[in-house]
Amino acid sequence: MSDESSNTQSAKICGLCNENPSKYCCPRCEVLYCSLDCYRSEKHQECSENFYRDCVTEELTSNHVDDESKRKMIDILKRMHEQDIDTEDIEEMLENMDSDDEEGEDLHERIKGLNLNDANQLWGALTEDERNEFEALLNKGDVGAIMPKWEPWWMFRKKEKKVEEITKEENEALKKCPELKKVPALDSLTTVQPSSAIKYNITNVIASYAFVMRYFNGDVEPLEWATHFLNICANLDSNANFDDPAIAVESVVQKCLQSELIETDAPSLDVMKHDTYLVLQGPSKDHKLHYCKSALSDLYRVLHKAKSISKAQPADEKKQSKDKAFSRKFPEHGTEHLPPLDGNKLKKCMKKVEYYLSFLESHSMDFE
């Protein structure tokens, strides 16, 4: 009887320190232990590290883990392999990952219901640390590193083949383009023969469109976008006419360099020239004008939205956040510094773009 009592008593003693009564059982090796210190002790180190490693590996192989979490977990595994890291450090790394996830979820809740176009409201929802992190990114010029780079829809060009056919890739490229606007036939709008300058004027418009789309990384806020566009598009802004495609594009270059609204450089302007060429070439010989029509259709819609917003702007301003902390801190990122848009001017620009679309329905963009 005494032997059984002795065996039972010894079985409940911590199997790591052999002194204190055990309270827990390791789920991996089933050793009984009395405290966290014993669990993290050198005697149990191999088992505990393998346990954390298995936890991380299991998470990595699960379907619900995003790429960022996987990257962090892989980093933990590498550090475990390369360095002598104790279990306390590993737990701290995993806890930090969890806290990052909680902060992300918390931010999602904080901005729920806010006007995402109101920077002041969003700024008010950020914590002090988040604001400091944002300012640090701005100061370093690293904001672009956390934003996905926009891929223009006009980049596809079908390779020439002896036997022409519409490929699957071309169909996919056409689907990515802005929807074409339906316009009346040119002869129903006017009986006057189109000017030879129209092709070059359209080139000026296309070059301006391509530059501003890249400038805002494909993100279109109608008022700001239209203001910058008209700032560099001489044809729509001041009815300038061109008699050469190179001069039409060079006009955009000079306007960009002289603009008080736009900051750019030579490489960006070279990209704009190449983009203009790609839009004018179209996705294929059979659809050569498709990109031009898509660009002008998209432009028409943006100008229309800008006209509607500018008309309703006083009422919208009343709905904006009363706290102007962001606007005061970053005045260059607001809209207060932008020149006002004239609704009548926007209407005339829309009419001209519509005329250009009608022109393209019955004429080519081939330059003589």
Side-chain angles (χ1 to χ4, degrees), residues 60-287:
L60 280 172
T61 56
S62 68
N63 293 327
H64 65 273
V65 179
D66 57 33
D67 291 340
E68 179 63 17
S69 297
K70 286 183 178 181
R71 185 192 64 75
K72 291 179 180 179
M73 291 180 188
I74 290 172
D75 183 58
I76 291 174
L77 286 175
K78 285 181 178 178
R79 292 175 63 183
M80 288 173 65
H81 177 72
E82 296 171 358
Q83 303 174 25
D84 184 16
I85 300 177
D86 61 32
T87 55
E88 189 170 356
D89 291 333
I90 298 169
E91 282 187 336
E92 185 178 348
M93 292 180 203
L94 294 172
E95 286 172 4
N96 286 338
M97 281 186 60
D98 291 337
S99 65
D100 288 343
D101 292 340
E102 289 170 7
E103 286 177 10
E105 293 172 2
D106 182 42
L107 178 61
H108 177 73
E109 290 298 319
R110 279 182 276 141
I111 66 174
K112 187 181 291 184
L114 296 183
N115 178 6
L116 299 183
N117 291 321
D118 186 350
N120 289 298
Q121 285 191 26
L122 294 175
W123 185 254
L126 298 181
T127 65
E128 192 64 31
D129 287 342
E130 289 166 344
R131 293 180 183 183
N132 291 335
E133 185 178 356
F134 178 80
E135 287 188 66
L137 286 171
L138 280 183
N139 293 332
K140 292 180 181 179
D142 289 344
V143 175
I146 62 173
M147 293 178 63
K149 189 175 180 181
W150 177 67
E151 179 69 20
W153 45 263
W154 57 75
M155 301 304 292
F156 173 82
R157 175 69 181 177
K158 191 175 82 169
K159 295 179 180 179
E160 301 296 337
K161 296 181 180 178
K162 291 183 178 180
V163 179
E164 291 297 327
E165 58 181 13
I166 298 178
T167 63
K168 181 180 178 181
E169 291 81 4
E170 185 175 5
N171 275 328
E172 291 300 317
L174 294 177
K175 288 178 183 178
K176 294 178 181 178
C177 299
E179 184 180 354
L180 301 186
K181 174 177 169 54
K182 294 181 180 180
V183 292
L186 187 62
D187 57 12
S188 70
L189 298 176
T190 180
T191 57
V192 179
Q193 185 68 18
S195 167
S196 59
I198 289 184
K199 296 178 183 180
Y200 312 120
N201 293 345
I202 292 176
T203 301
N204 179 257
V205 173
I206 293 296
S208 303
Y209 171 87
F211 177 84
V212 178
M213 285 301 291
R214 284 227 190 232
Y215 190 75
F216 287 109
N217 198 40
D219 185 19
V220 178
E221 193 290 308
L223 279 181
E224 187 176 20
W225 194 99
T227 301
H228 284 71
F229 172 82
L230 292 175
N231 188 243
I232 62 173
C233 183
N235 176 251
L236 293 186
D237 183 59
S238 56
N239 292 316
N241 291 312
F242 300 93
D243 56 10
D244 183 86
I247 295 175
V249 174
E250 184 60 27
S251 169
V252 179
V253 171
Q254 295 305 315
K255 285 282 188 179
C256 287
L257 295 174
Q258 296 165 13
S259 174
E260 294 182 358
L261 299 177
I262 292 171
E263 293 183 13
T264 189
D265 51 26
S268 297
L269 294 171
D270 287 339
V271 170
M272 177 272 291
K273 293 177 183 178
H274 183 61
D275 282 339
T276 304
Y277 170 79
L278 292 176
V279 174
L280 293 176
Q281 289 298 302
S284 65
K285 281 185 177 181
D286 293 336
H287 296 90

